[in-house]
Coordinates of all heavy atoms in Angstrom, one line a residue:
M1 N 76.3 27.0 194.0 CA 75.7 25.7 193.9 C 75.6 25.3 192.4 O 75.2 26.1 191.6 CB 74.4 25.6 194.6 CG 73.8 24.2 194.7 SD 72.4 24.2 195.8 CE 71.7 22.7 195.3
K2 N 75.9 24.1 192.1 CA 75.8 23.5 190.8 C 74.5 22.7 190.6 O 74.0 22.2 191.5 CB 77.0 22.6 190.5 CG 78.3 23.2 190.5 CD 79.4 22.1 190.2 CE 80.8 22.6 190.2 NZ 81.7 21.6 189.8
D3 N 74.1 22.6 189.3 CA 73.1 21.6 189.0 C 73.7 20.2 189.4 O 74.9 20.0 189.2 CB 72.8 21.6 187.5 CG 72.0 22.8 187.0 OD1 71.6 23.6 187.9 OD2 71.8 22.9 185.8
T4 N 72.8 19.3 189.9 CA 73.3 18.0 190.3 C 72.5 16.9 189.5 O 71.3 16.9 189.5 CB 73.1 17.8 191.8 OG1 73.8 18.8 192.5 CG2 73.6 16.5 192.3
L5 N 73.3 16.1 188.9 CA 72.7 15.0 188.1 C 72.8 13.7 188.9 O 73.9 13.3 189.3 CB 73.4 14.8 186.8 CG 73.0 13.7 185.8 CD1 71.5 13.9 185.4 CD2 73.9 13.6 184.6
Y6 N 71.7 13.1 189.2 CA 71.6 11.8 189.9 C 71.4 10.7 188.9 O 70.5 10.8 188.1 CB 70.5 11.8 191.0 CG 70.8 12.8 192.1 CD1 70.4 14.1 192.1 CD2 71.4 12.3 193.3 CE1 70.6 15.0 193.1 CE2 71.6 13.2 194.4 CZ 71.2 14.5 194.3 OH 71.5 15.3 195.3
L7 N 72.3 9.7 189.0 CA 72.2 8.6 188.1 C 72.2 7.3 189.0 O 72.7 7.3 190.1 CB 73.4 8.5 187.2 CG 73.7 9.7 186.3 CD1 75.1 9.7 185.7 CD2 72.6 9.8 185.3
L8 N 71.6 6.2 188.4 CA 71.7 4.9 189.1 C 73.1 4.3 188.9 O 73.6 4.3 187.7 CB 70.7 4.0 188.5 CG 69.2 4.1 189.0 CD1 68.3 3.2 188.2 CD2 69.1 3.8 190.5
A9 N 73.7 3.9 189.9 CA 75.0 3.2 189.8 C 74.8 1.9 189.0 O 73.8 1.1 189.3 CB 75.5 2.9 191.2
P10 N 75.6 1.6 188.0 CA 75.4 0.4 187.2 C 75.8 -0.9 188.0 O 76.5 -0.8 189.0 CB 76.3 0.6 186.0 CG 77.4 1.6 186.5 CD 76.7 2.4 187.6
G11 N 75.3 -2.0 187.4 CA 75.6 -3.3 188.0 C 74.7 -3.6 189.2 O 75.1 -4.4 190.1
F12 N 73.5 -3.2 189.2 CA 72.5 -3.5 190.3 C 71.7 -4.7 190.0 O 71.6 -5.2 188.9 CB 71.6 -2.3 190.6 CG 70.7 -1.9 189.4 CD1 69.5 -2.5 189.2 CD2 71.1 -0.8 188.6 CE1 68.7 -2.1 188.2 CE2 70.3 -0.4 187.6 CZ 69.1 -1.0 187.3
E13 N 71.2 -5.3 191.1 CA 70.4 -6.5 190.9 C 68.9 -6.1 191.3 O 68.7 -5.3 192.1 CB 70.9 -7.6 191.9 CG 72.3 -8.1 191.4 CD 72.8 -9.2 192.3 OE1 72.0 -9.7 193.2 OE2 74.0 -9.5 192.1
D14 N 68.0 -6.8 190.6 CA 66.6 -6.6 190.9 C 66.1 -8.0 191.3 O 66.1 -9.0 190.6 CB 65.9 -6.2 189.6 CG 64.4 -6.0 189.7 OD1 63.8 -6.5 190.7 OD2 63.8 -5.3 188.9
P15 N 65.5 -8.1 192.6 CA 65.1 -9.4 193.0 C 64.0 -10.0 192.2 O 63.8 -11.3 192.2 CB 64.5 -9.1 194.4 CG 65.1 -7.8 194.8 CD 65.4 -7.0 193.5
A16 N 63.3 -9.2 191.3 CA 62.3 -9.8 190.4 C 63.0 -10.6 189.3 O 62.3 -11.4 188.6 CB 61.5 -8.7 189.8
Y17 N 64.3 -10.5 189.1 CA 65.0 -11.2 188.1 C 66.3 -11.8 188.7 O 67.4 -11.3 188.5 CB 65.4 -10.2 186.9 CG 64.2 -9.5 186.3 CD1 63.8 -8.3 186.8 CD2 63.5 -10.2 185.3 CE1 62.7 -7.7 186.2 CE2 62.4 -9.5 184.7 CZ 62.0 -8.3 185.2 OH 60.9 -7.7 184.6
P18 N 66.2 -12.9 189.4 CA 67.3 -13.4 190.2 C 68.4 -13.8 189.2 O 68.2 -14.3 188.1 CB 66.7 -14.7 190.8 CG 65.2 -14.6 190.7 CD 64.9 -13.6 189.6
G19 N 69.7 -13.6 189.7 CA 70.8 -14.0 188.9 C 71.3 -13.1 187.8 O 72.2 -13.4 187.1
K20 N 70.6 -11.9 187.7 CA 70.9 -11.0 186.6 C 71.4 -9.7 187.2 O 70.9 -9.2 188.2 CB 69.7 -10.7 185.7 CG 69.3 -11.9 184.9 CD 68.2 -11.6 183.9 CE 67.8 -12.8 183.0 NZ 66.8 -12.4 182.1
S21 N 72.3 -9.1 186.5 CA 72.8 -7.7 186.8 C 72.3 -6.7 185.8 O 72.2 -7.1 184.6 CB 74.3 -7.8 186.9 OG 74.8 -6.6 187.3
F22 N 72.0 -5.5 186.2 CA 71.4 -4.5 185.3 C 72.1 -3.2 185.3 O 72.9 -2.9 186.2 CB 70.0 -4.3 185.6 CG 69.1 -5.5 185.5 CD1 68.9 -6.4 186.6 CD2 68.5 -5.8 184.3 CE1 68.1 -7.5 186.5 CE2 67.7 -7.0 184.1 CZ 67.5 -7.8 185.2
Y23 N 71.8 -2.4 184.3 CA 72.1 -1.0 184.3 C 70.9 -0.3 183.7 O 70.1 -0.8 183.0 CB 73.4 -0.7 183.4 CG 73.2 -0.9 181.9 CD1 72.7 0.0 181.0 CD2 73.6 -2.2 181.4 CE1 72.5 -0.2 179.7 CE2 73.4 -2.5 180.0 CZ 72.9 -1.5 179.2 OH 72.7 -1.7 177.9
C24 N 70.8 1.0 184.1 CA 69.7 1.9 183.5 C 70.2 2.4 182.2 O 71.2 3.1 182.2 CB 69.4 3.0 184.6 SG 68.4 4.3 183.9
W25 N 69.5 2.2 181.1 CA 70.0 2.6 179.8 C 70.0 4.2 179.7 O 70.8 4.8 179.0 CB 69.4 1.9 178.7 CG 68.0 2.2 178.3 CD1 66.9 1.6 178.8 CD2 67.6 3.2 177.4 NE1 65.8 2.2 178.2 CE2 66.2 3.2 177.3 CE3 68.3 4.1 176.6 CZ2 65.4 4.0 176.5 CZ3 67.5 5.0 175.8 CH2 66.1 4.9 175.8
H26 N 69.0 4.8 180.4 CA 68.9 6.3 180.3 C 70.2 6.8 181.0 O 70.8 7.8 180.6 CB 67.7 6.8 181.0 CG 66.4 6.5 180.2 ND1 65.2 6.7 180.7 CD2 66.2 6.0 179.0 CE1 64.3 6.4 179.8 NE2 64.9 5.9 178.7
C27 N 70.5 6.2 182.2 CA 71.7 6.7 182.9 C 73.0 6.4 182.1 O 73.9 7.3 182.1 CB 71.7 6.0 184.3 SG 70.4 6.4 185.4
A28 N 73.0 5.3 181.5 CA 74.2 4.9 180.7 C 74.4 5.9 179.5 O 75.5 6.3 179.2 CB 74.1 3.5 180.2
L29 N 73.3 6.3 178.9 CA 73.3 7.3 177.9 C 73.9 8.6 178.4 O 74.8 9.2 177.8 CB 71.9 7.6 177.3 CG 71.7 8.8 176.4 CD1 72.4 8.6 175.1 CD2 70.2 9.1 176.3
L30 N 73.5 9.1 179.5 CA 74.0 10.3 180.1 C 75.4 10.2 180.6 O 76.2 11.1 180.4 CB 73.1 10.7 181.3 CG 71.7 11.2 180.9 CD1 70.7 11.3 182.0 CD2 71.7 12.5 180.1
E31 N 75.8 9.0 181.1 CA 77.2 8.7 181.4 C 78.1 8.9 180.2 O 79.2 9.5 180.2 CB 77.4 7.3 182.0 CG 76.8 7.1 183.3 CD 77.6 7.5 184.5 OE1 78.6 8.3 184.3 OE2 77.4 7.1 185.6
G32 N 77.6 8.4 179.0 CA 78.4 8.5 177.8 C 78.5 10.0 177.3 O 79.6 10.4 176.9
V33 N 77.5 10.7 177.5 CA 77.5 12.2 177.1 C 78.5 12.9 178.0 O 79.4 13.7 177.6 CB 76.1 12.8 177.2 CG1 76.2 14.3 177.0 CG2 75.2 12.2 176.1
L34 N 78.4 12.6 179.3 CA 79.4 13.2 180.3 C 80.8 12.9 180.0 O 81.7 13.7 180.0 CB 79.0 12.8 181.7 CG 77.7 13.3 182.3 CD1 77.4 12.6 183.6 CD2 77.6 14.8 182.4
A35 N 81.1 11.6 179.7 CA 82.4 11.1 179.4 C 82.9 11.7 178.0 O 84.1 11.9 177.9 CB 82.4 9.6 179.3
S36 N 82.0 12.0 177.1 CA 82.4 12.6 175.8 C 82.9 14.0 175.9 O 83.6 14.5 175.1 CB 81.3 12.4 174.8 OG 81.0 11.1 174.6
F37 N 82.4 14.7 176.9 CA 82.7 16.1 177.1 C 83.1 16.4 178.5 O 82.4 17.1 179.3 CB 81.5 17.0 176.7 CG 81.0 16.7 175.3 CD1 79.9 15.8 175.1 CD2 81.6 17.2 174.2 CE1 79.5 15.5 173.8 CE2 81.2 17.0 172.9 CZ 80.1 16.1 172.7
P38 N 84.3 15.9 179.0 CA 84.7 16.0 180.4 C 84.8 17.4 180.9 O 84.6 17.7 182.0 CB 86.0 15.2 180.5 CG 86.5 15.1 179.1 CD 85.3 15.2 178.2
G39 N 85.2 18.3 180.0 CA 85.4 19.7 180.4 C 84.1 20.3 180.8 O 84.0 21.1 181.7
L40 N 83.0 20.0 180.0 CA 81.7 20.5 180.3 C 81.1 19.8 181.5 O 80.4 20.4 182.3 CB 80.8 20.4 179.1 CG 81.2 21.2 177.8 CD1 80.4 20.8 176.6 CD2 81.1 22.7 178.1
A41 N 81.3 18.5 181.6 CA 80.8 17.7 182.7 C 81.3 18.2 184.1 O 80.6 18.1 185.1 CB 81.1 16.3 182.5
A42 N 82.5 18.9 184.1 CA 83.1 19.4 185.3 C 82.2 20.5 185.9 O 82.3 20.7 187.1 CB 84.5 19.9 185.1
G43 N 81.3 21.1 185.1 CA 80.4 22.1 185.7 C 79.2 21.6 186.3 O 78.3 22.3 186.8
I44 N 79.0 20.3 186.4 CA 77.9 19.6 187.0 C 78.3 18.7 188.1 O 79.3 17.9 187.9 CB 77.1 18.8 185.9 CG1 76.7 19.7 184.7 CG2 75.9 18.1 186.5 CD1 76.3 18.9 183.5
E45 N 77.6 18.6 189.1 CA 77.9 17.6 190.2 C 77.1 16.4 189.8 O 75.9 16.4 189.4 CB 77.4 18.1 191.5 CG 77.8 17.1 192.6 CD 77.5 17.7 194.0 OE1 77.2 18.9 194.2 OE2 77.5 16.8 194.9
V46 N 77.8 15.2 189.8 CA 77.2 14.0 189.5 C 77.2 13.0 190.7 O 78.3 12.9 191.3 CB 77.9 13.3 188.3 CG1 77.3 12.0 187.9 CG2 77.9 14.2 187.1
R47 N 76.1 12.5 191.0 CA 76.0 11.5 192.1 C 75.4 10.2 191.6 O 74.3 10.3 190.9 CB 75.2 12.1 193.3 CG 75.8 13.3 193.9 CD 75.1 13.7 195.2 NE 75.7 14.9 195.7 CZ 75.3 15.5 196.7 NH1 74.2 15.1 197.3 NH2 75.9 16.6 197.1
R48 N 76.0 9.1 192.0 CA 75.5 7.8 191.6 C 74.8 7.2 192.8 O 75.4 7.1 193.8 CB 76.6 7.0 191.0 CG 77.0 7.6 189.6 CD 78.4 7.1 189.2 NE 78.8 7.8 187.9 CZ 79.4 8.9 187.9 NH1 79.7 9.6 189.0 NH2 79.7 9.5 186.7
I49 N 73.6 6.8 192.6 CA 72.7 6.3 193.7 C 72.5 4.8 193.5 O 72.3 4.3 192.4 CB 71.4 7.0 193.7 CG1 71.6 8.5 193.8 CG2 70.5 6.5 194.8 CD1 72.1 9.0 195.1
S50 N 72.4 4.1 194.6 CA 72.1 2.6 194.6 C 70.6 2.4 194.1 O 69.8 3.3 194.3 CB 72.2 2.0 195.9 OG 73.5 2.1 196.4
W51 N 70.4 1.3 193.5 CA 69.1 1.0 192.9 C 67.9 0.9 193.9 O 66.8 1.4 193.6 CB 69.2 -0.2 192.0 CG 67.9 -0.6 191.3 CD1 67.4 0.0 190.2 CD2 67.0 -1.6 191.7 NE1 66.2 -0.5 189.9 CE2 65.9 -1.5 190.8 CE3 67.0 -2.5 192.8 CZ2 64.8 -2.4 191.0 CZ3 65.9 -3.3 192.9 CH2 64.8 -3.3 192.0
P52 N 68.1 0.1 195.0 CA 66.9 -0.1 195.8 C 66.3 1.1 196.3 O 66.9 2.1 196.6 CB 67.5 -1.0 197.0 CG 68.9 -1.3 196.6 CD 69.3 -0.4 195.5
R53 N 64.9 1.0 196.5 CA 64.2 2.1 197.1 C 63.9 1.7 198.5 O 63.8 0.5 198.8 CB 62.8 2.3 196.4 CG 63.0 2.9 195.0 CD 61.7 3.1 194.3 NE 61.9 3.5 193.0 CZ 61.1 4.4 192.4 NH1 60.1 5.0 193.0 NH2 61.3 4.7 191.1
P54 N 63.8 2.6 199.4 CA 63.7 4.1 199.1 C 65.1 4.6 198.9 O 66.1 4.2 199.5 CB 63.1 4.7 200.4 CG 63.5 3.7 201.5 CD 63.5 2.4 200.8
R55 N 65.2 5.5 197.9 CA 66.4 6.2 197.6 C 66.4 7.5 198.5 O 66.0 8.5 198.1 CB 66.5 6.5 196.1 CG 66.5 5.3 195.3 CD 66.5 5.5 193.8 NE 66.5 4.2 193.1 CZ 65.7 4.0 192.1 NH1 64.9 4.9 191.5 NH2 65.7 2.8 191.5
R56 N 66.9 7.3 199.7 CA 66.7 8.3 200.8 C 67.2 9.7 200.3 O 66.5 10.7 200.5 CB 67.5 8.0 202.0 CG 66.8 7.2 203.0 CD 65.6 7.7 203.8 NE 64.6 8.6 203.3 CZ 63.3 8.3 203.0 NH1 62.9 7.1 203.0 NH2 62.5 9.3 202.6
E57 N 68.3 9.8 199.7 CA 68.9 11.1 199.3 C 67.9 11.8 198.3 O 67.7 13.0 198.5 CB 70.3 10.9 198.6 CG 70.9 12.2 198.3 CD 72.3 12.1 197.8 OE1 72.9 11.0 197.8 OE2 72.9 13.1 197.4
I58 N 67.4 11.1 197.4 CA 66.4 11.7 196.4 C 65.1 11.9 197.1 O 64.5 13.0 196.9 CB 66.3 10.7 195.2 CG1 67.6 10.5 194.5 CG2 65.2 11.2 194.2 CD1 68.2 11.8 193.9
A59 N 64.6 11.0 197.8 CA 63.3 11.2 198.5 C 63.3 12.4 199.5 O 62.3 13.1 199.5 CB 62.9 9.9 199.2
D60 N 64.4 12.5 200.2 CA 64.5 13.6 201.1 C 64.6 15.0 200.4 O 64.1 16.0 200.8 CB 65.7 13.5 202.0 CG 65.6 12.4 203.0 OD1 64.5 11.8 203.2 OD2 66.6 12.0 203.6
L61 N 65.1 15.0 199.2 CA 65.3 16.2 198.4 C 64.1 16.5 197.6 O 63.7 17.7 197.5 CB 66.5 16.0 197.5 CG 67.0 17.2 196.7 CD1 67.5 18.3 197.6 CD2 68.1 16.7 195.8
L62 N 63.5 15.5 197.0 CA 62.4 15.8 196.0 C 61.0 15.2 196.4 O 60.0 15.4 195.7 CB 62.7 15.2 194.6 CG 64.1 15.7 194.0 CD1 64.3 14.9 192.7 CD2 64.0 17.2 193.9
G63 N 61.0 14.4 197.5 CA 59.7 13.8 197.9 C 59.7 12.3 197.6 O 60.3 11.9 196.6
E64 N 59.0 11.6 198.4 CA 58.9 10.1 198.2 C 58.4 9.7 196.8 O 58.8 8.7 196.2 CB 57.9 9.5 199.2 CG 58.4 9.6 200.6 CD 59.6 8.6 200.9 OE1 59.7 7.6 200.3 OE2 60.4 9.0 201.8
E65 N 57.5 10.5 196.2 CA 57.0 10.2 194.9 C 57.9 10.5 193.7 O 57.6 10.2 192.6 CB 55.6 11.0 194.7 CG 55.8 12.5 194.5 CD 56.0 13.2 195.8 OE1 56.1 12.6 196.9 OE2 56.1 14.5 195.8
N66 N 59.0 11.1 194.0 CA 60.0 11.5 192.9 C 61.3 10.8 193.0 O 62.4 11.5 193.0 CB 60.2 13.0 192.9 CG 58.9 13.7 192.6 OD1 58.2 13.4 191.6 ND2 58.5 14.7 193.4
Q67 N 61.3 9.5 193.1 CA 62.6 8.8 193.3 C 63.1 8.2 192.0 O 64.1 7.5 192.0 CB 62.4 7.6 194.3 CG 62.1 8.1 195.7 CD 62.0 7.0 196.7 OE1 62.9 6.2 196.7 NE2 60.9 7.0 197.4
S68 N 62.5 8.4 190.8 CA 63.0 7.9 189.6 C 64.2 8.6 189.2 O 64.4 9.8 189.4 CB 61.9 8.0 188.5 OG 60.8 7.3 188.8
L69 N 65.1 7.8 188.6 CA 66.4 8.3 188.1 C 66.5 7.9 186.6 O 65.9 6.9 186.2 CB 67.6 7.7 188.9 CG 67.6 8.0 190.3 CD1 68.7 7.4 191.0 CD2 67.6 9.5 190.6
P70 N 67.2 8.7 185.8 CA 68.0 9.9 186.2 C 67.2 11.1 186.5 O 66.0 11.2 186.0 CB 68.9 10.1 185.0 CG 68.0 9.7 183.8 CD 67.3 8.5 184.4
V71 N 67.7 12.0 187.3 CA 67.1 13.3 187.5 C 68.2 14.4 187.6 O 69.2 14.1 188.2 CB 66.2 13.2 188.8 CG1 67.0 13.0 190.1 CG2 65.4 14.5 189.0
L72 N 67.9 15.5 187.1 CA 68.8 16.7 187.2 C 68.1 17.7 188.1 O 67.0 18.2 187.8 CB 69.0 17.3 185.8 CG 69.9 18.5 185.7 CD1 71.3 18.2 186.1 CD2 69.9 19.2 184.4
V73 N 68.8 17.9 189.2 CA 68.3 18.9 190.2 C 68.9 20.2 189.9 O 70.2 20.3 189.9 CB 68.5 18.4 191.7 CG1 68.1 19.5 192.7 CG2 67.9 17.1 191.9
L74 N 68.1 21.2 189.6 CA 68.6 22.5 189.2 C 69.1 23.3 190.4 O 68.5 23.3 191.5 CB 67.5 23.3 188.4 CG 66.9 22.5 187.3 CD1 65.8 23.3 186.6 CD2 67.9 22.1 186.3
A75 N 70.2 24.0 190.2 CA 70.8 24.8 191.3 C 69.8 25.8 191.9 O 69.8 26.0 193.1 CB 72.0 25.5 190.8
E76 N 68.9 26.4 191.1 CA 68.0 27.4 191.6 C 66.7 26.8 192.1 O 65.8 27.5 192.5 CB 67.7 28.5 190.6 CG 67.0 28.0 189.4 CD 67.8 27.3 188.3 OE1 69.0 27.1 188.5 OE2 67.3 27.0 187.2
G77 N 66.6 25.5 192.1 CA 65.4 24.8 192.5 C 64.7 24.2 191.4 O 64.9 24.6 190.2
G78 N 63.9 23.1 191.6 CA 63.2 22.4 190.6 C 64.1 21.3 190.1 O 65.3 21.1 190.5
F79 N 63.5 20.5 189.2 CA 64.2 19.3 188.7 C 63.6 18.9 187.4 O 62.5 19.2 187.0 CB 64.2 18.1 189.7 CG 62.9 17.6 190.0 CD1 62.4 16.5 189.3 CD2 62.1 18.1 191.0 CE1 61.2 15.9 189.6 CE2 60.8 17.6 191.3 CZ 60.4 16.5 190.6
I80 N 64.4 18.1 186.6 CA 64.0 17.5 185.4 C 64.3 16.0 185.5 O 65.4 15.6 185.8 CB 64.9 18.1 184.2 CG1 64.7 19.6 184.2 CG2 64.5 17.5 182.9 CD1 65.8 20.3 183.3
D81 N 63.2 15.2 185.2 CA 63.4 13.8 185.4 C 63.1 12.9 184.2 O 62.6 11.8 184.4 CB 62.5 13.4 186.6 CG 61.0 13.6 186.4 OD1 60.6 14.2 185.3 OD2 60.2 13.2 187.3
D82 N 63.3 13.5 183.0 CA 63.2 12.6 181.8 C 64.5 12.8 181.0 O 65.1 13.9 181.0 CB 62.0 12.9 181.0 CG 62.0 14.3 180.4 OD1 61.6 15.2 181.0 OD2 62.4 14.3 179.2
K83 N 65.0 11.8 180.4 CA 66.3 11.8 179.7 C 66.3 12.9 178.6 O 67.3 13.6 178.5 CB 66.6 10.5 179.1 CG 65.8 10.1 177.9 CD 66.3 8.9 177.2 CE 65.4 8.4 176.1 NZ 65.0 9.3 175.1
D84 N 65.2 13.1 177.9 CA 65.3 14.1 176.8 C 65.3 15.5 177.4 O 66.1 16.4 176.9 CB 64.1 14.0 175.9 CG 64.1 12.7 175.1 OD1 65.2 12.3 174.7 OD2 63.0 12.1 174.9
G85 N 64.6 15.8 178.5 CA 64.7 17.0 179.2 C 66.0 17.3 179.7 O 66.6 18.4 179.7
I86 N 66.7 16.3 180.3 CA 68.0 16.4 180.9 C 69.0 16.7 179.8 O 69.9 17.6 179.9 CB 68.4 15.1 181.6 CG1 67.5 15.0 182.9 CG2 69.9 15.2 182.0 CD1 67.6 13.6 183.6
L87 N 68.9 16.0 178.6 CA 69.8 16.3 177.5 C 69.7 17.7 177.0 O 70.7 18.4 176.7 CB 69.6 15.3 176.4 CG 70.0 13.8 176.6 CD1 69.5 12.9 175.5 CD2 71.5 13.7 176.7
E88 N 68.4 18.2 176.9 CA 68.2 19.6 176.5 C 68.8 20.6 177.5 O 69.4 21.5 177.2 CB 66.7 19.8 176.4 CG 66.3 21.2 175.9 CD 66.9 21.6 174.5 OE1 67.2 20.7 173.7 OE2 67.1 22.8 174.3
A89 N 68.6 20.3 178.8 CA 69.2 21.1 179.8 C 70.7 21.1 179.8 O 71.4 22.2 180.0 CB 68.7 20.7 181.2
L90 N 71.3 20.0 179.5 CA 72.8 19.9 179.4 C 73.2 20.9 178.3 O 74.3 21.5 178.4 CB 73.3 18.5 179.2 CG 73.1 17.6 180.4 CD1 73.6 16.2 180.0 CD2 73.8 18.1 181.6
S91 N 72.5 20.9 177.2 CA 72.8 21.7 176.1 C 72.6 23.2 176.4 O 73.5 24.0 176.2 CB 72.0 21.4 174.8 OG 72.3 20.0 174.4
T92 N 71.4 23.6 176.9 CA 71.1 25.0 177.0 C 71.7 25.6 178.3 O 72.0 26.8 178.3 CB 69.5 25.2 177.1 OG1 69.0 24.4 178.2 CG2 68.9 24.7 175.8
R93 N 71.9 24.8 179.3 CA 72.4 25.3 180.6 C 73.9 25.2 180.7 O 74.5 26.0 181.4 CB 71.7 24.6 181.8 CG 70.3 24.9 181.9 CD 69.6 24.1 183.0 NE 70.1 24.4 184.3 CZ 69.6 25.3 185.1 NH1 68.5 26.1 184.7 NH2 70.1 25.5 186.3
H94 N 74.5 24.2 180.0 CA 75.9 23.8 180.3 C 76.7 23.8 179.0 O 77.9 23.4 179.1 CB 76.0 22.5 181.0 CG 75.3 22.6 182.4 ND1 75.9 23.2 183.5 CD2 74.1 22.2 182.8 CE1 75.0 23.2 184.5 NE2 74.0 22.6 184.1
G95 N 76.2 24.1 177.9 CA 77.0 24.2 176.7 C 77.3 22.9 175.9 O 78.1 22.9 175.0
F96 N 76.7 21.8 176.4 CA 76.9 20.5 175.7 C 76.3 20.6 174.3 O 75.3 21.3 174.1 CB 76.2 19.4 176.4 CG 76.9 18.9 177.6 CD1 76.8 19.6 178.8 CD2 77.6 17.7 177.6 CE1 77.5 19.2 180.0 CE2 78.3 17.2 178.8 CZ 78.2 18.0 179.9
P97 N 76.9 20.0 173.3 CA 76.2 19.9 172.0 C 74.8 19.3 172.1 O 74.6 18.6 173.0 CB 77.2 19.0 171.1 CG 78.5 19.1 171.8 CD 78.2 19.3 173.3
H98 N 74.0 19.7 171.1 CA 72.7 19.1 171.1 C 72.7 17.7 170.5 O 73.5 17.4 169.6 CB 71.7 20.0 170.2 CG 71.5 21.3 170.8 ND1 70.4 21.5 171.7 CD2 72.1 22.5 170.7 CE1 70.4 22.8 172.1 NE2 71.5 23.4 171.5
P99 N 71.8 16.8 171.0 CA 71.8 15.5 170.3 C 71.2 15.6 168.9 O 70.3 16.5 168.6 CB 70.8 14.7 171.2 CG 70.2 15.6 172.2 CD 70.9 16.9 172.1
H100 N 71.8 14.9 168.0 CA 71.3 15.0 166.6 C 69.9 14.4 166.5 O 69.7 13.3 167.0 CB 72.3 14.2 165.7 CG 72.0 14.4 164.2 ND1 71.1 13.6 163.6 CD2 72.4 15.3 163.3 CE1 71.0 14.0 162.3 NE2 71.8 15.0 162.1
P101 N 69.0 15.1 165.8 CA 67.6 14.5 165.7 C 67.6 13.3 164.9 O 67.6 12.5 164.4 CB 66.9 15.6 165.0 CG 67.8 16.7 164.5 CD 69.2 16.3 165.1

């Protein structure tokens, strides 16, 4: 089993902001890192989830209270749900270069 990175699919709408389309900038950042190192990205399963809640796939996996994305679900159990932690895990667990400070 691989680590699985869940990202929000870009181009979603939020009813609180009619007529606008959005992307999650944390997810876009991670998409850019994955695209920059496709050979390393092949070692991670990536799933893109629709924006509206409930995000059943995530809620069923991590619980109703843990539906925020992005999230990296670790193969051995547990998860990381903040962009900096995910970037660190990509470096330490999967050999991606470290982000420059």
